[in-house]
Amino acid sequence: MGLKRLFKSLIIVNKDVKTSRGMLYPRESETREVRSLDGIWNFVCSDETNPTQGIRDKWFDDDLSKSRPIIPMPVPASYNDITTERSLRDHVGTVWYDRKFFVPRSWEKDQRVWLRFGSVHYEAFVWINGESAVKHEMGHLPFETEVTHLLKYGAENRITVMCDNALIQTTVPQGKISEVANDGGVTIIQSYTFDFFNYAGIHRSVHLYTTPKTFIEEVEIQTKLSDNNSVGYIDYSVAVNGTAANEAENALYVRLKLYNREGVQVVNTTSDGKLEGTLKVSNAMPWWPYLMHSDPGYLYELEIQLHGANEQLLDVYRLKVGLRTLSWSNTTFQINGKPVYFRGFGRHEDSDVRGKGLDNALMVRDFNLIKWIGANAYRTSHYPYSEESMQFADQHGIMIIDECPSVDTENYNQALLDKHKSSLEQLIHRDRNHPSVVMWSIANEPRTGQLNADTYFQFVANYTRSLDSSRPVTAAIATPWTDDKAGRYLDIISFNRYNAWYSNTGRMDMVTQRVIDEATAWNKKYGKPVIMSEYGADTLEGLHLQPSFVWSEEFQSEVFSRHFKAFDALRRKKWFIGEFVWNFADFKTAQSYTRVGGNKKGVFTRARQPKAAAHLLRQRYFALGREVDQCSLPEDLFTYIVDVGGSIKNESGDL
Ligand code: GCB
């Protein structure tokens, strides 16, 4: 590479990125209808060596079955594990979906129709009746477009989707594609350094929904409570799109009604023409995290009515609202004025057969397990999770560190920075109104020792803050604190480390002090609150070895216990604010000789059953809940052993 070129590729500038619009979660109301397009679609896999053939041959012009033999494919789901074919599981490049659907005649008049995808991984191209409708790049995030003009009303329509799973150095996350010789010729190989399977396809629900011609396009709220938490304030701003909105003389306003959980109206107010203002809620019921209060996850419902000239009701949209104040300093993180100690997990959206596809049964089971174990938080490692799960977390009081899809970020370049910022913009746009979201995570294990990491993360962190200054910014860092160049741009330092696993494997006597030393070093270097965002050990369910040995259930429990000791020493220093086990459940990864059927660091198996360490963790998380937040303990937390006329003691006190 010539010097000039090298120099050019090192310069990264802070460019504007395209911002998202609309994308309110589709909800029915008296002015809106919602229809799901989920179900069994038709599916075609392109040749890996000819990924653009379908575009050139216009497969979207007619039914896919006319171009290629089709197979059935469920939506939502990853396509990889649905069939028995290795070639589909490991496919690199484009695949195609289509289906037919009916649009009622009644949708033709005086309204708009929108097509919305919860997420498609990684890049999506969509046609309606052969006409290009929308393109979107980035997995795990929604996109939508108006399709009013593309639909046939009172008739059958066809939707075609091409999805490309290829990851390269300028995608988020990054990957590499290479051509490698195989036994019969050459093959395309997708490689990536991140530790989860690159599942792809239409991962979340597809909806058609209607809005009036002039409609509520955006709602943004921010909440806070008075010092004694008795009065709540909701700052709101509404954006309107449509014909009436563009006519200056057409005085639009919104009427806002707030209902409490019992359905009683507690506020009724009207905006001026600016469509923004503040609602005051007396006798407020704050939103509290699980186990921090006897009534966690309290949500109000905000009804937003858009009115036009002559009081005409144009549109209605309803949104759940949790009233809470977040605050943080160089030593604490507080919710409603109370210091928070996070106890939780890194997780994955991952399960047998469906991969990363949205599955309500799995989601509800996961929340039941999170509550059973007494966790109060999780990180959406390493990408945004479904909107349905964010709503569920709001309802159940589970705090979320919301992570964008940047994982193992390296080889910093301009195109990557622009997309990384866009992923955060899309994430914040989608999730800004959720009370459960308490922190933004701008990356997982970025190579923050590299040249350019400094400028790069300064831009990314400041951009995140410019979009939302009401939540702190973090990143989960594994670079040694001595080399790290990004931490100074964060509000909270999260670090991942695998003592007794990746370093000093098997050495139980080399965990506790190392964790204490590393957390302390991070705090000393940056003077910010610190979280241990990952620790753990791969554990094969049913493997028992005493004394503990790597991969056994005993080993996982002992590794946890050695960390607990460190965390308890650290908790006394107020700046240590949380512990997150890696991982909630076992999950699939790319094939590797370090992974037995995937990553087995789950506290739960992939089928969501507890390993031995889950019971230990449950006792700790509830014990912490009682000590820190005065929660009550579940009756079955301790198994009855013996009545010895008093409590059993060990060296550190009561068991
Ligand atoms: C990490 C990564 C996570 C991996 C984990 C592991 O540091 O953040 O994605 O799965 O380690 O188990 O290796």
Side-chain angles (χ1 to χ4, degrees), residues 97 101 194 245 259 313 334 378 388 405 410-411 450 504 587:
Y97 292 76
F101 59 95
F194 57 82
Y259 296 89
L313 178 65
Q334 300 195 329
Y378 61 83
E388 292 76 6
E410 58 186 353
N411 300 331
Q450 280 183 9
N504 307 312
F587 58 92

Side-chain angles (χ1 to χ4, degrees), residues 62-105:
D62 205 338
D63 298 353
L64 280 176
S65 59
K66 302 265 169 58
S67 303
R68 277 282 194 281
I70 52 167
I71 59 168
M73 189 55 69
V75 169
S78 302
Y79 57 73
N80 309 76
D81 290 347
I82 299 294
T83 72
T84 53
E85 300 303 319
R86 179 197 309 267
S87 57
L88 183 56
R89 185 193 64 198
D90 298 337
H91 178 76
V92 183
T94 55
V95 298
W96 291 72
Y97 292 76
D98 82 356
R99 68 161 284 171
K100 300 274 186 56
F101 59 95
F102 231 88
V103 177
R105 211 171 284 136

Side-chain angles (χ1 to χ4, degrees), residues 414-483:
Q414 185 69 47
L416 184 73
L417 173 66
D418 299 346
K419 269 183 220 164
H420 192 161
K421 282 166 58 187
S422 164
S423 78
L424 277 155
E425 191 281 329
Q426 293 181 52
L427 174 66
I428 293 170
H429 188 96
R430 190 193 77 162
D431 287 350
R432 60 194 175 185
N433 294 337
H434 288 288
S436 56
V437 176
V438 298
M439 219 179 283
W440 303 115
S441 168
I442 58 175
N444 179 72
E445 299 199 355
R447 313 309 190 209
T448 58
Q450 280 183 9
L451 201 68
N452 262 0
D454 190 310
T455 327
Y456 186 94
F457 281 100
Q458 182 179 20
F459 289 152
V460 175
N462 288 346
Y463 181 64
T464 307
R465 257 179 228 114
S466 75
L467 297 171
D468 178 19
S469 58
S470 74
R471 295 172 176 94
V473 174
T474 193
I477 302 180
T479 305
W481 64 272
T482 40
D483 302 344

Side-chain angles (χ1 to χ4, degrees), residues 186-252:
V186 286
T187 187
I188 312 276
I189 305 276
Q190 168 78 72
S191 58
Y192 41 88
T193 59
F194 57 82
D195 186 36
F196 52 93
F197 193 82
N198 187 34
Y199 278 118
I202 304 180
H203 277 160
R204 297 184 191 143
S205 292
V206 186
H207 287 112
L208 281 175
Y209 70 93
T210 65
T211 64
K213 284 251 186 289
T214 299
F215 65 101
I216 299 166
E217 189 178 35
E218 312 248 349
V219 181
E220 184 173 0
I221 57 150
Q222 294 227 347
T223 70
K224 62 175 183 295
L225 290 156
S226 60
D227 285 346
N228 61 3
N229 292 336
S230 64
V231 183
Y233 299 92
I234 306 173
D235 294 336
Y236 68 89
S237 87
V238 173
V240 172
N241 194 350
T243 40
N246 302 333
E247 292 167 19
E249 69 275 20
N250 197 325
L252 293 171

Side-chain angles (χ1 to χ4, degrees), residues 195 382 444-445 496 498 502 534 538 582 587 595 599 601:
D195 186 36
H382 298 308
N444 179 72
E445 299 199 355
N496 299 348
Y498 289 86
Y502 293 125
E534 286 186 22
D538 279 88
W582 189 259
F587 58 92
R595 299 282 177 254
N599 187 308
K601 294 195 185 69

Side-chain angles (χ1 to χ4, degrees), residues 144-165:
E144 67 178 10
T145 189
E146 187 177 352
V147 290
T148 318
H149 55 293
L150 297 175
L151 293 173
K152 296 183 215 153
Y153 295 87
E156 198 173 56
N157 292 264
R158 185 182 60 253
I159 176 168
T160 313
V161 178
M162 185 182 85
C163 161
D164 186 355
N165 70 352

